[in-house]
Amino acid sequence: MNVLVINAGSSSLKYQLYFMSEGRVLAKGKVERIGMDTALLTHEPEGKPDVSEVSEILDHTTAIRRVLDLLVHPQHGVLKTAAEIEAVGHRVVHGGESFRASVRVDEDVKREIRRLFDLAPLHNPAALLGINAVEANMPGVPQVVVFDTAFHQTMPPAAYLYPVPMALYRKHKVRRYGFHGTSHHYVSERAAAFLERPLAALKLVTCHIGNGASCAAVLGGRSIDTSMGMTPLEGLMMGTRSGDLDPAIVPYTMGKEELTLSEVSSMLNKHSGLQAVSGLSSDMREIEGAMDAGDSNAALAFEMYAYRLRKYIGAYAAALNGMDALVFTAGVGENSERLRSAVCRELTFLGVELDEVKNGRGYKGERRISAASSRVEVLVIPTNEEWMIARDTYALVR
Ligand code: ADP
């Protein structure tokens, strides 16, 4: 079976086509600047040269049609006809409390995703555009939605509630949901497979550290806590997001700087984190480069980033009452040995001992980076959210 995985944003759309029985990616690519006459489509077919074209693509329906045209194109395609695509899986950011797992799309599911627009005003509308665009181009092809929040729906009330008037939860669903669930789920499963131990017997702290970043406490394969909350702003310091702070800063800053609520929200989401402290960049590679060149603001940003992550790992070891393995994933987690080293250096009280050689450059793929004597296994597991979406889609459609 061939499964097409779609990750739709408001003006972009990423895709991967899987040949499921071999777990092979037949093609992948993305459409950027949807809505403009200079939209850019890049397409990478397996075993053929990459293609990129600039054209007018005014909506998601047209974007999907262009992608399908390329997938069956005589030179650039990998299929004979679009009918060879038997199912489509979509990434949806917010499933609220309605979705604890992936589901097949029907009218009720679409209605529910629409009802959740309030909780994810930027992301869920885009996902629905993607679903409708597939429906318009491929009528009758089964679709599945996979939610970033679903894996964390196993959190207990003590972890997901905020200590605020409970009417806010009852009336407006103000609670913690958590995100990156597909990634935390994937790396948890892979960690158990790597360690050749049953997931049900493991206490894991998984760290998805990319542009956005979150940690999760995973007990026996179930998320019991995670650092992002009602929105992805809570928790760790990130590329451009502040993560945890005193909420009183919001009204104080509004008063002092004469800012509106939406300006403060934009400041905390888009102009904080590594970017704000370094005054340089939200990109960890640039931060590390500047540190090497002696930039003290970059060094401070890095230190804060690592410190805040280390504190969360300690908190989650407490939430789990122990930790068998610590897992790093996503852009920074997979690639920055400096960050992993800075975080693990002072977790020795928990039994974490890094092997600095194995942690170093030159190693790729799933790997153990802890010393043989370490009581806690430290692993790097490259994430693969698209494969999880394809796998759930296949399981629900087969
Ligand atoms: P997203 O959250 O957008 O999916 P990624 O998971 O791709 O992001 O992570 C992007 C981050 O990973 C950027 O901060 C980037 O600098 C960082 N990164 C990628 N490669 C390296 C590297 N070799 N060393 C340090 N950081 C890296």
Side-chain angles (χ1 to χ4, degrees), residues 210-212 282-285 288 330-332 335-336:
N211 271 322
S282 61
D283 190 297
M284 187 54 93
R285 279 166 297 201
E288 291 190 27
V332 178
N335 295 301
S336 175

Side-chain angles (χ1 to χ4, degrees), residues 13-199:
L13 186 149
K14 295 188 198 131
Y15 62 93
Q16 287 205 17
L17 179 67
Y18 280 93
F19 181 51
M20 294 307 293
S21 58
E22 294 175 12
R24 238 168 72 211
V25 178
L26 299 179
K28 64 178 176 179
K30 60 179 181 232
V31 188
E32 296 163 276
R33 303 197 292 258
I34 297 173
M36 297 174 66
D37 55 7
T38 55
L40 172 66
L41 198 171
T42 28
H43 173 69
E44 300 173 32
E46 187 191 42
K48 296 182 176 180
D50 297 354
V51 190
S52 67
E53 49 184 51
V54 175
S55 65
E56 178 179 273
I57 299 183
L58 294 182
D59 56 30
H60 287 66
T61 303
T62 312
I64 294 277
R65 189 164 66 240
R66 290 289 163 76
V67 170
L68 292 176
D69 287 348
L70 273 176
L71 289 172
V72 302
H73 191 276
Q75 272 124 48
H76 313 302
V78 290
L79 302 173
K80 288 203 181 65
T81 72
E84 290 171 54
I85 301 170
E86 287 161 275
V88 179
H90 296 267
R91 171 185 182 218
V92 182
V93 165
H94 220 305
E97 291 188 325
S98 318
F99 299 104
R100 302 177 68 86
S102 306
V103 287
R104 270 183 75 154
V105 175
D106 60 18
E107 286 309 312
D108 287 342
V109 167
K110 283 176 30 177
R111 200 171 308 119
E112 200 53 34
I113 292 173
R114 203 172 294 117
R115 220 177 50 80
L116 293 165
F117 279 6
D118 261 0
L119 286 174
L122 297 177
H123 294 103
N124 275 28
L128 195 60
L129 284 175
I131 294 166
N132 288 332
V134 168
E135 219 167 74
N137 282 286
M138 311 166 74
V141 173
Q143 303 194 66
V144 166
V145 276
V146 179
F147 301 93
D148 273 13
T149 49
F151 181 61
H152 302 301
Q153 277 296 301
T154 46
M155 283 193 284
Y160 73 65
L161 288 173
Y162 290 108
V164 295
M166 286 294 106
L168 292 179
Y169 172 57
R170 285 192 299 272
K171 283 162 64 185
H172 307 299
K173 296 288 173 216
V174 171
R175 54 158 285 180
R176 311 184 59 253
Y177 294 94
F179 298 88
H180 293 143
T182 311
S183 177
H184 289 291
H185 189 181
Y186 175 79
V187 299
S188 300
E189 287 190 0
R190 291 305 313 158
F194 184 92
L195 296 170
E196 298 181 347
R197 291 169 67 182
L199 183 55

Side-chain angles (χ1 to χ4, degrees), residues 235-288:
L236 300 170
M237 175 171 161
M238 310 181 207
T240 64
R241 295 191 193 115
S242 63
D244 294 338
L245 45 73
D246 182 343
I249 291 171
V250 172
Y252 185 82
T253 307
M254 286 174 70
K256 290 287 183 195
E257 291 280 311
E258 295 182 13
L259 298 176
T260 63
L261 258 184
S262 86
E263 285 167 336
V264 175
S265 168
S266 159
M267 174 186 88
L268 297 176
N269 277 291
K270 299 187 186 144
H271 306 286
S272 293
L274 284 177
Q275 166 92 59
V277 180
S278 70
L280 187 74
S281 171
S282 61
D283 190 297
M284 187 54 93
R285 279 166 297 201
E286 289 188 33
I287 298 292
E288 291 190 27

